[in-house]
Amino acid sequence: MKTHNRNKAWNEIKTNDSWAIFKIMGEFVNGYEKLSQIGPCVSIFGSARTKPDMKYYKLAERVAKKIVDHGYGVITGGGPGIMEAGNKGAHLAGGTSVGLNIDLPFEQHDNPYIDNDKSLDFDYFFVRKVMFVKYSQGFVVMPGGFGTLDELFEAITLIQTHKIDKFPIILVGSEFWGGLADWIKKTLLDSFNNISEADIDLVQVVDTEDEVIEILDQFYDEYNLSPNF
């Protein structure tokens, strides 16, 4: 009897998984259709918990404005904190402001600075992450938590393994990122030899909006803008 119940539960799981495939496909199709029309953008990541009176909120806003002034749009995760600051800076500068929102039990809600026709909602983190990587010409990573680190290291891994073309990954805030950068060099590379020396160059740490745009402009003076994979 117990075995029968277990088999029934397993069959229900398999059925649910089969139907989930269609929802996943729908999120991919909707994302591809909308984002393929927006033109070159830079993604800004960071903590949803950053308040508007904090310095990194204000810096993210200035970074986004600078990005727009140099001809790019801005993509964020669509929520509050650094994401809101990125969309706000892009919106106030008259540029493209995209939000890729994720349905979460806390923290996440749409911010009011996303263009009306450029707000997308996702149930699946992995679909949303594909959209960030495929349609971004660069990652600007402000101080954040686990989600920010997840996006950062996924992008580094995809570039390191040549699954996508190289694009700039810029960490903003040396006081926040400096310890991680030191650990990557001293521990991952020097002590354990778990990465190559060239991998260190995939990421740059800066402190100002001018440094961010300088890196983006220098990179795309050498490479053409194009979607990834």
Side-chain angles (χ1 to χ4, degrees), residues 52-119:
D53 61 346
M54 294 180 175
K55 71 174 185 178
Y56 283 108
Y57 184 104
K58 296 173 183 177
L59 179 55
E61 195 175 333
R62 295 198 304 271
V63 167
K65 182 182 184 304
K66 201 84 169 179
I67 287 171
V68 165
D69 288 344
H70 282 248
Y72 306 93
V74 168
I75 301 176
T76 81
I82 293 295
M83 295 174 281
E84 179 182 288
N87 288 128
K88 183 179 179 182
H91 174 75
L92 294 180
T96 298
S97 181
V98 183
L100 308 184
N101 198 46
I102 188 78
D103 185 22
L104 296 176
F106 60 91
E107 287 185 1
Q108 188 80 355
H109 57 79
D110 287 350
N111 70 67
Y113 300 104
I114 303 167
D115 294 346
N116 291 332
D117 60 339
K118 297 180 180 67
S119 179

Side-chain angles (χ1 to χ4, degrees), residues 5-204:
N5 287 339
R6 282 201 301 270
N7 288 338
K8 180 180 178 182
W10 182 251
N11 288 332
E12 288 174 352
I13 290 171
K14 289 195 293 183
T15 300
N16 290 337
D17 286 348
S18 296
W19 282 107
I21 290 171
F22 293 100
K23 184 165 176 44
I24 292 165
M25 289 172 60
E27 289 200 354
F28 273 118
V29 170
N30 186 48
Y32 286 161
E33 285 185 345
K34 287 192 174 182
L35 292 176
S36 64
Q37 301 173 26
I38 64 174
C41 287
V42 173
S43 288
I44 297 177
F45 300 94
S47 176
R49 306 184 190 201
T50 305
K51 305 302 181 188
D53 61 346
M54 294 180 175
K55 71 174 185 178
Y56 283 108
Y57 184 104
K58 296 173 183 177
L59 179 55
E61 195 175 333
R62 295 198 304 271
V63 167
K65 182 182 184 304
K66 201 84 169 179
I67 287 171
V68 165
D69 288 344
H70 282 248
Y72 306 93
V74 168
I75 301 176
T76 81
I82 293 295
M83 295 174 281
E84 179 182 288
N87 288 128
K88 183 179 179 182
H91 174 75
L92 294 180
T96 298
S97 181
V98 183
L100 308 184
N101 198 46
I102 188 78
D103 185 22
L104 296 176
F106 60 91
E107 287 185 1
Q108 188 80 355
H109 57 79
D110 287 350
N111 70 67
Y113 300 104
I114 303 167
D115 294 346
N116 291 332
D117 60 339
K118 297 180 180 67
S119 179
L120 285 77
D121 294 318
F122 295 89
D123 282 328
Y124 299 96
F125 265 113
F126 65 90
V127 179
R128 180 176 178 244
K129 287 162 73 176
V130 168
M131 299 304 152
F132 276 124
V133 173
K134 182 171 178 61
Y135 293 106
S136 294
Q137 304 298 327
F139 277 15
V140 174
V141 193
M142 311 293 294
F146 288 139
T148 302
L149 294 172
D150 179 47
E151 297 284 1
L152 167 63
F153 281 107
E154 172 132 350
I156 294 172
T157 302
L158 290 170
I159 293 172
Q160 180 203 44
T161 55
H162 303 290
K163 293 297 183 182
I164 64 172
D165 291 334
K166 184 178 179 181
F167 61 74
I169 300 176
I170 307 164
L171 309 184
V172 183
S174 56
E175 64 178 354
F176 183 87
W177 296 109
L180 176 63
D182 289 343
W183 178 80
I184 288 173
K185 184 179 187 311
K186 294 176 182 177
T187 303
L188 287 186
L189 179 61
D190 295 342
S191 297
F192 287 85
N193 200 33
N194 285 340
I195 60 173
S196 301
E197 191 163 354
D199 295 334
I200 298 292
D201 297 330
L202 295 177
V203 178
Q204 299 182 67

